[in-house]
Amino acid sequence: HVQLVESGGDSVQDGGSLRLSCAASGDDFSSYCMGWSRQAPGNEFELVSSIAPDGSRWYADSVQGRFTISRNVLPERLSLRMTRLKPEDTGMYYCAADGGLSDCSSSFQDYEYNFWGRGTQVTVS
Protein backbone atom coordinates (compact mmCIF):
# COMPACT_ATOMS: atom_id res chain seq x y z
CA HIS A 1 0.00 0.00 0.00
CA VAL A 2 1.84 3.05 -1.31
CA GLN A 3 1.50 6.13 0.83
CA LEU A 4 2.84 9.63 0.18
CA VAL A 5 2.75 12.28 2.91
CA GLU A 6 3.75 15.86 2.23
CA SER A 7 5.00 18.37 4.79
CA GLY A 8 6.77 21.71 4.97
CA GLY A 9 4.10 24.01 3.61
CA ASP A 10 3.89 27.43 5.23
CA SER A 11 3.09 31.10 4.71
CA VAL A 12 6.08 33.14 3.52
CA GLN A 13 6.76 36.56 2.13
CA ASP A 14 7.38 37.35 -1.50
CA GLY A 15 11.01 36.43 -2.23
CA GLY A 16 11.23 33.91 0.59
CA SER A 17 12.19 30.25 0.56
CA LEU A 18 10.67 26.94 1.64
CA ARG A 19 11.55 23.28 1.51
CA LEU A 20 8.78 20.75 0.98
CA SER A 21 9.18 17.09 1.85
CA CYS A 22 7.30 13.97 0.85
CA ALA A 23 7.71 10.78 2.86
CA ALA A 24 7.07 7.65 0.79
CA SER A 25 6.22 4.26 2.23
CA GLY A 26 4.72 0.94 1.22
CA ASP A 27 7.09 -0.16 -1.54
CA ASP A 28 10.66 -0.04 -2.78
CA PHE A 29 10.81 3.39 -4.40
CA SER A 30 14.30 3.10 -5.81
CA SER A 31 12.86 2.55 -9.31
CA TYR A 32 9.94 4.97 -9.01
CA CYS A 33 9.43 8.19 -10.88
CA MET A 34 8.44 10.99 -8.50
CA GLY A 35 7.22 14.54 -8.86
CA TRP A 36 5.49 17.64 -7.49
CA SER A 37 2.37 19.37 -8.73
CA ARG A 38 0.33 22.26 -7.39
CA GLN A 39 -3.07 23.85 -7.58
CA ALA A 40 -4.25 27.26 -6.46
CA PRO A 41 -7.94 27.94 -5.77
CA GLY A 42 -9.70 28.62 -9.03
CA ASN A 43 -6.65 27.70 -11.06
CA GLU A 44 -5.78 24.68 -13.11
CA PHE A 45 -3.69 21.85 -11.78
CA GLU A 46 -0.07 22.61 -12.67
CA LEU A 47 2.84 20.22 -12.96
CA VAL A 48 5.93 21.60 -11.22
CA SER A 49 8.81 19.13 -11.39
CA SER A 50 9.69 15.45 -11.71
CA ILE A 51 12.74 13.31 -10.98
CA ALA A 52 13.71 9.91 -12.32
CA PRO A 53 15.51 7.11 -10.47
CA ASP A 54 18.74 8.12 -12.21
CA GLY A 55 18.32 11.69 -10.95
CA SER A 56 17.33 13.30 -14.24
CA ARG A 57 14.95 16.21 -13.64
CA TRP A 58 12.23 18.13 -15.41
CA TYR A 59 10.94 21.56 -14.36
CA ALA A 60 8.05 23.68 -15.48
CA ASP A 61 9.18 26.93 -17.10
CA SER A 62 7.49 28.88 -14.31
CA VAL A 63 9.81 27.43 -11.65
CA GLN A 64 12.99 26.73 -13.63
CA GLY A 65 15.98 28.25 -11.85
CA ARG A 66 14.06 28.83 -8.61
CA PHE A 67 12.98 25.35 -7.52
CA THR A 68 15.16 22.27 -7.03
CA ILE A 69 13.80 18.74 -6.77
CA SER A 70 15.77 16.01 -5.04
CA ARG A 71 15.25 12.56 -3.64
CA ASN A 72 16.74 10.51 -0.86
CA VAL A 73 16.80 6.74 -0.59
CA LEU A 74 16.41 4.93 2.71
CA PRO A 75 14.40 6.56 3.96
CA GLU A 76 12.69 7.38 0.70
CA ARG A 77 11.97 11.08 0.70
CA LEU A 78 11.24 13.52 -2.07
CA SER A 79 12.08 17.18 -1.53
CA LEU A 80 11.38 20.45 -3.30
CA ARG A 81 13.56 23.40 -2.44
CA MET A 82 11.75 26.59 -3.42
CA THR A 83 13.54 29.95 -3.55
CA ARG A 84 12.60 33.45 -4.72
CA LEU A 85 8.98 32.59 -4.10
CA LYS A 86 6.29 34.67 -5.76
CA PRO A 87 2.61 35.14 -4.92
CA GLU A 88 1.75 33.08 -8.01
CA ASP A 89 3.51 30.11 -6.39
CA THR A 90 0.70 29.98 -3.84
CA GLY A 91 -1.22 26.73 -3.85
CA MET A 92 -1.60 23.22 -2.53
CA TYR A 93 1.47 21.20 -3.41
CA TYR A 94 1.09 17.48 -4.08
CA CYS A 95 3.66 14.72 -4.21
CA ALA A 96 3.23 12.04 -6.88
CA ALA A 97 4.94 8.77 -7.73
CA ASP A 98 4.72 5.72 -9.94
CA GLY A 99 6.84 2.73 -10.85
CA GLY A 100 7.42 0.87 -14.07
CA LEU A 101 7.50 3.99 -16.24
CA SER A 102 10.07 4.22 -19.00
CA ASP A 103 10.16 8.02 -19.27
CA CYS A 104 9.49 9.83 -16.01
CA SER A 105 9.20 13.38 -17.35
CA SER A 106 6.96 12.46 -20.29
CA SER A 107 4.75 10.29 -18.10
CA PHE A 108 4.50 13.08 -15.55
CA GLN A 109 3.46 15.59 -18.19
CA ASP A 110 0.90 13.07 -19.44
CA TYR A 111 -0.55 12.74 -15.92
CA GLU A 112 0.29 9.04 -15.76
CA TYR A 113 1.48 8.88 -12.15
CA ASN A 114 -0.98 6.84 -10.11
CA PHE A 115 0.01 7.60 -6.52
CA TRP A 116 -0.65 10.99 -4.94
CA GLY A 117 -0.40 12.56 -1.50
CA ARG A 118 -2.98 14.80 0.14
CA GLY A 119 -0.97 17.98 -0.26
CA THR A 120 0.68 20.71 1.79
CA GLN A 121 -0.32 24.39 1.53
CA VAL A 122 2.10 27.08 0.43
CA THR A 123 1.05 30.72 0.68
CA VAL A 124 3.22 33.55 -0.62
CA SER A 125 2.19 37.13 0.05
Side-chain angles (χ1 to χ4, degrees), residues 31-45:
S31 63
Y32 271 56
C33 302
M34 303 188 79
W36 290 96
S37 298
R38 66 187 181 188
Q39 186 170 29
N43 286 10
E44 292 186 358
F45 193 76

Side-chain angles (χ1 to χ4, degrees), residues 72-107:
N72 184 68
V73 179
L74 296 179
E76 186 69 43
R77 185 172 295 274
L78 181 71
S79 297
L80 185 69
R81 174 65 174 165
M82 305 186 294
T83 64
R84 291 182 281 142
L85 283 162
K86 306 174 183 180
E88 51 262 45
D89 294 318
T90 294
M92 187 69 78
Y93 282 69
Y94 299 93
C95 173
D98 211 327
L101 301 173
S102 59
D103 187 322
C104 290
S105 61
S106 294
S107 296

Side-chain angles (χ1 to χ4, degrees), residues 2-125:
V2 171
Q3 188 172 17
L4 304 173
V5 180
E6 303 92 337
S7 62
D10 205 346
S11 296
V12 297
Q13 292 188 338
D14 191 354
S17 300
L18 275 178
R19 178 184 291 274
L20 305 183
S21 292
C22 172
S25 61
D27 202 352
D28 176 2
F29 290 88
S30 59
S31 63
Y32 271 56
C33 302
M34 303 188 79
W36 290 96
S37 298
R38 66 187 181 188
Q39 186 170 29
N43 286 10
E44 292 186 358
F45 193 76
E46 181 184 11
L47 303 174
V48 173
S49 181
S50 67
I51 186 168
D54 65 0
S56 56
R57 296 165 171 84
W58 170 86
Y59 294 98
D61 289 343
S62 59
V63 306
Q64 180 76 46
R66 299 188 298 121
F67 290 11
T68 302
I69 191 171
S70 61
R71 62 191 296 167
N72 184 68
V73 179
L74 296 179
E76 186 69 43
R77 185 172 295 274
L78 181 71
S79 297
L80 185 69
R81 174 65 174 165
M82 305 186 294
T83 64
R84 291 182 281 142
L85 283 162
K86 306 174 183 180
E88 51 262 45
D89 294 318
T90 294
M92 187 69 78
Y93 282 69
Y94 299 93
C95 173
D98 211 327
L101 301 173
S102 59
D103 187 322
C104 290
S105 61
S106 294
S107 296
F108 191 58
Q109 294 172 70
D110 288 338
Y111 299 91
E112 295 179 352
Y113 289 21
N114 285 311
F115 302 108
W116 293 84
R118 293 179 178 271
T120 186
Q121 178 68 37
V122 173
T123 303
V124 185
S125 60

